[in-house]
């Protein structure tokens, strides 16, 4: 498969991916077989406005996802959630994987029906990769094959419903595998992990306009001190550092991949003015926004 080159503005949408793969831009679910991704280090960071489930079948690679560095090898199951930042992607020449990508509309219709699994689903944002056994990988590949078979078949009246049902079943299968792995290693879900996961979820949705720890504490109905303690002890970084990292990833993406003026970027990120944004950016990046943009071009 040829490299996928997508001109991006603020994020990569499913429609853009579909057009790059010569699929219908109206598709809400894509099943991509034997995909061999090209390096996207030269266009990162990008934000995927969709959910991607990737199973590596051979080869290896590495991925920068939000603030984590993820290793990919055979039988790695990787879940990229909507609004995750992809900072880089490198794969070996022999890398092959099967990928399901679904729109945020599909995610919003599927996930509310899986509310009992919400803590596990949110935990995938913090630990997106799981190495499966051969048997587990074969099970996920089976679901993938069923979904692809339906998508490649006739456009019947109930096609969408069948694909959504298969996708839900695949997610249940993934959660079963995750729970089996955690039970085998004695890992248990704690209230702290749930708080951390909900903090990341709220942060990914609100960081452009809200940069105060107190805001997120209110959303989680806990005190700012408790949130700060939980985030630091769970992740090793403070809540403020997480917030700044998300803001800086977005700012760098906009500077690198768009022609928006620095004033327009400052406005988009809800800074009071360009000067305030410039000082904030230089404090965290070591250079001004204009210097960063010149260097990265």
């Amino acid at each position: 498969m040829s490299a996928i080159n997508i001109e991006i503005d603020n994020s990569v949408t499913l429609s853009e991916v579909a057009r790059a793969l010569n699929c219908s831009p109206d598709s809400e679910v894509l099943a991509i077989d034997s995909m061999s991704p090209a390096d996207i280090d030269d266009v990162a960071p990008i934000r995927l406005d969709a959910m991607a489930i990737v199973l590596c079948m051979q080869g290896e690679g590495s991925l920068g996802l939000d603030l984590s560095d993820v290793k990919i090898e055979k039988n790695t199951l990787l879940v990229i959630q909507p609004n995750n930042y992809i900072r880089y992607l490198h794969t070996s020449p022999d890398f092959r994987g099967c990928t399901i990508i679904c729109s945020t509309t599909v995610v919003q219709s599927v996930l509310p029906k899986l509310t009992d699994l919400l803590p596990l689903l949110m935990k995938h944002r913090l630990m997106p990769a799981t190495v499966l056994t051969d048997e587990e990988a074969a099970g996920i590949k089976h679901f993938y094959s069923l979904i692809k078979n339906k998508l490649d078949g006739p456009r019947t009246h109930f096609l969408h419903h069948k694909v959504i049902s298969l996708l839900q079943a695949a997610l249940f299968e993934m959660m079963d595998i995750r729970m089996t792995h955690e039970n085998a290693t004695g890992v248990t879900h704690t209230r702290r992990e749930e708080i951390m996961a909900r903090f990341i979820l709220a942060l990914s949705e609100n960081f452009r306009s809200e940069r105060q720890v107190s805001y997120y504490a209110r959303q989680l109905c806990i005190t700012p001190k408790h949130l700060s303690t939980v985030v630091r002890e769970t992740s090793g970084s403070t809540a403020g550092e997480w917030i700044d990292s998300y803001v800086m990833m977005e700012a760098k993406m906009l500077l690198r991949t768009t022609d928006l003026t620095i004033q327009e970027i400052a406005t988009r990120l809800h800074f009071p003015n360009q000067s305030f944004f410039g000082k904030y950016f230089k404090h965290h990046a070591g250079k001004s926004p204009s210097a960063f943009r010149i260097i990265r071009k």
Side-chain angles (χ1 to χ4, degrees):
M1 180 174 291
S2 59
I4 299 174
N5 298 312
I6 302 173
E7 295 296 327
I8 62 173
D9 178 9
N10 194 6
S11 62
V12 175
T13 66
L14 184 64
S15 294
E16 289 174 299
V17 175
R19 281 193 292 268
L21 296 174
N22 296 317
C23 300
S24 169
D26 297 326
S27 300
E28 290 193 291
V29 180
L30 300 176
I32 306 167
D33 200 11
S34 298
M35 181 178 178
S36 180
D39 273 11
I40 60 169
D41 183 58
D42 61 330
V43 298
I46 61 175
R47 179 160 45 82
L48 184 63
D49 189 24
M51 182 173 76
I53 302 169
V54 184
L55 177 64
C56 173
M57 296 183 292
Q58 72 176 52
E60 60 183 10
S62 58
L63 176 73
L65 195 64
D66 286 348
L67 303 184
S68 301
D69 296 305
V70 182
K71 180 182 178 181
I72 306 170
E73 58 188 12
K74 181 181 177 181
N75 288 350
T76 295
L77 180 66
L78 178 67
V79 179
I80 302 175
Q81 298 194 28
N83 294 320
N84 271 151
Y85 280 90
I86 301 174
R87 293 183 285 109
Y88 65 85
L89 171 64
H90 304 299
T91 57
S92 61
D94 64 336
F95 181 91
R96 292 294 182 273
C98 55
T99 304
I100 295 174
I101 308 178
C102 54
S103 70
T104 52
T105 301
V106 168
V107 173
Q108 290 164 1
S109 68
V110 170
L111 295 190
K113 299 175 183 178
L114 306 176
T115 52
D116 53 330
L117 300 180
L118 187 58
L120 273 172
L121 287 167
M122 288 194 299
K123 195 169 183 179
H124 266 292
R125 186 175 286 271
L126 297 178
M127 293 183 290
T130 305
V131 180
L132 311 184
T133 66
D134 288 341
E135 182 179 1
E136 290 166 343
I140 297 298
K141 181 64 164 59
H142 178 64
F143 276 109
Y144 166 81
S145 298
L146 289 172
I147 292 172
K148 182 169 177 56
N149 177 264
K150 293 302 176 185
L151 291 173
D152 290 345
R155 318 312 286 180
T156 61
H157 181 75
F158 291 107
L159 174 63
H160 178 75
H161 298 282
K162 289 185 288 187
V163 170
I164 293 301
S165 295
L166 287 169
L167 182 58
Q168 286 179 319
L171 288 171
F172 276 116
E173 181 74 7
M174 290 164 47
M175 296 305 106
D176 259 342
I177 291 171
R178 191 70 176 246
M179 291 186 71
T180 298
H181 283 218
E182 293 185 352
N183 290 338
T185 56
V187 175
T188 57
H189 297 290
T190 67
R191 170 63 175 161
R192 286 172 179 262
E193 289 174 339
E194 182 179 347
I195 289 174
M196 182 67 196
R198 291 185 180 277
F199 167 65
I200 296 301
L201 192 62
L203 176 60
S204 67
E205 295 173 349
N206 298 285
F207 72 88
R208 294 171 195 80
S209 59
E210 302 293 343
R211 291 187 290 275
Q212 298 299 317
V213 175
S214 57
Y215 169 83
Y216 296 97
R218 287 195 300 273
Q219 300 306 302
L220 274 62
C221 300
I222 58 177
T223 66
K225 181 179 179 180
H226 184 45
L227 175 59
S228 297
T229 299
V230 167
V231 171
R232 185 176 62 254
E233 292 181 354
T234 303
S235 70
S237 300
T238 67
E241 287 171 342
W242 274 92
I243 295 169
D244 289 336
S245 293
Y246 264 64
V247 174
M248 287 300 294
M249 283 191 289
E250 179 86 352
K252 289 178 179 179
M253 183 188 73
L254 294 173
L255 285 166
R256 190 175 185 183
T257 63
T258 76
D259 292 324
L260 293 173
T261 67
I262 294 174
Q263 175 60 60
E264 288 170 333
I265 293 173
T267 300
R268 182 169 293 198
L269 293 175
H270 291 260
F271 283 89
N273 53 58
Q274 180 176 331
S275 175
F276 193 93
F277 169 66
K279 292 177 182 178
Y280 177 94
F281 189 94
K282 187 171 184 179
H283 173 73
H284 292 285
K287 56 180 67 69
S288 68
S290 56
F292 176 86
R293 171 168 269 174
I294 291 172
I295 291 171
R296 304 307 289 185
K297 284 187 176 181

